[in-house]
Amino acid sequence: IYSLGAVMYEMLTGRKPFQSNDTAKLLQQIAYKAPSEPHLVEPDVPMPLSKIVMKAMQKKPEKRYQSAEEMTLDIKRYLMRTRHRNEPSSKSLVVAEPREQLQERRPLFSPTFWAGCAVMVASLLVLYWLWIGGHMRLL
């Protein structure tokens, strides 16, 4: 949960929650210091998202979300509120497309897949040829 909060922080603000060239100082910041709230670092970050990130990054585990599901529910509530208000935000959230839509636009197997298959078949043929050749010499 904490790590997810840190990733969300970086996605929303464009910077890591803690920064230092010294590893010991960085670890100390991570362990004991609270990062600046995302909406203070990047004014376009909506306050509810900022609160979600800060709750996920709480130092004491009992103050954090107790499960990913609990965090997901808060994010869904935020998304539902913004949809109902039709609030255009300056930072638009990219929501993943349903799996069916992705499959319609992508070919089932890419050229890279077929190239890999060709390499595997060629490798198997070479190995077979070497195996047969080695057995023929023994006879």
Side-chain angles (χ1 to χ4, degrees), residues 2 12 49 80 92 101 113 131 137:
Y2 184 92
L12 291 168
L49 277 180
M80 293 303 287
S92 60
Q101 290 177 359
F113 171 82
W131 184 73
R137 288 186 204 141

Side-chain angles (χ1 to χ4, degrees), residues 33-52:
K33 187 178 176 190
S36 299
E37 295 180 40
H39 71 277
L40 297 176
V41 175
E42 178 59 56
D44 289 338
V45 174
M47 179 69 78
L49 277 180
S50 187
K51 287 182 180 182
I52 290 169

Side-chain angles (χ1 to χ4, degrees), residues 19-42:
Q19 298 174 354
S20 178
N21 292 331
D22 181 18
T23 305
K25 284 183 182 179
L26 180 63
L27 291 174
Q28 185 175 14
Q29 288 176 5
I30 292 169
Y32 301 108
K33 187 178 176 190
S36 299
E37 295 180 40
H39 71 277
L40 297 176
V41 175
E42 178 59 56

